[in-house]
Amino acid sequence: MQKQNPSIEEQVPVPVYHPTPSQTRLATQLTEEEQIRIAQRIGLIQHLPKGVYDPGRDGSEKKIRECVICMMDFVYGDPIRFLPCMHIYHLDCIDDWLMRSFTCPSCMEPVDAALLSSYETN
């Protein structure tokens, strides 16, 4: 019978957030206002459309071959997210990026402005 060290099992990493692009803090160190802003940002990110990379589905996607964040080629079946400016990225790459900066890494278009204006017109 193996003896396990309970102190290692009980250690759960505390999430790290970026209240502003230049700041990095543990979730336990955020102010209430920062927690609210981060929760709102997570909510907005979840409203962005996602899909699966399929280079044969649409001819316009053929020229998009790599995620500009990780510089890795898209592979058929990769989970992707679409920004309002129509740029696509790996889901995990863009979600992490948007937690730091709410602009498209390719065209620098503010993502929240496009999202908020789409809500106002609906």
Side-chain angles (χ1 to χ4, degrees):
M1 183 171 177
Q2 287 184 323
K3 189 174 183 180
Q4 294 181 336
N5 185 344
S7 63
I8 293 175
E9 287 181 354
E10 294 170 7
Q11 291 177 352
V12 177
V14 176
V16 174
Y17 291 107
H18 306 273
T20 66
S22 61
Q23 291 181 322
T24 302
R25 289 215 296 275
L26 294 173
T28 54
Q29 298 172 327
L30 296 172
T31 66
E32 187 175 341
E33 182 180 304
E34 290 168 340
Q35 290 174 23
I36 291 168
R37 263 191 318 211
I38 287 170
Q40 288 171 331
R41 182 170 283 202
I42 291 169
L44 285 173
I45 291 170
Q46 297 309 309
H47 279 87
L48 293 169
K50 56 186 173 182
V52 174
Y53 184 72
D54 182 355
R57 189 183 78 237
D58 182 349
S60 67
E61 283 188 358
K62 285 186 179 175
K63 60 186 170 217
I64 303 168
R65 298 181 191 240
E66 73 176 14
C67 174
V68 301
I69 297 171
C70 68
M71 307 301 279
M72 299 293 292
D73 286 345
F74 288 114
V75 176
Y76 178 85
D78 279 351
I80 57 172
R81 190 174 299 280
F82 302 86
L83 295 189
C85 57
M86 299 310 294
H87 288 112
I88 66 169
Y89 304 93
H90 286 121
L91 186 78
D92 291 341
C93 296
I94 194 61
D95 287 2
D96 186 54
W97 173 278
L98 292 173
M99 286 304 296
R100 299 165 194 258
S101 172
F102 223 52
T103 57
C104 173
S106 296
C107 67
M108 296 304 171
E109 183 75 25
V111 174
D112 53 349
L115 269 176
L116 294 173
S117 68
S118 71
Y119 284 129
E120 290 168 5
T121 58
N122 290 344

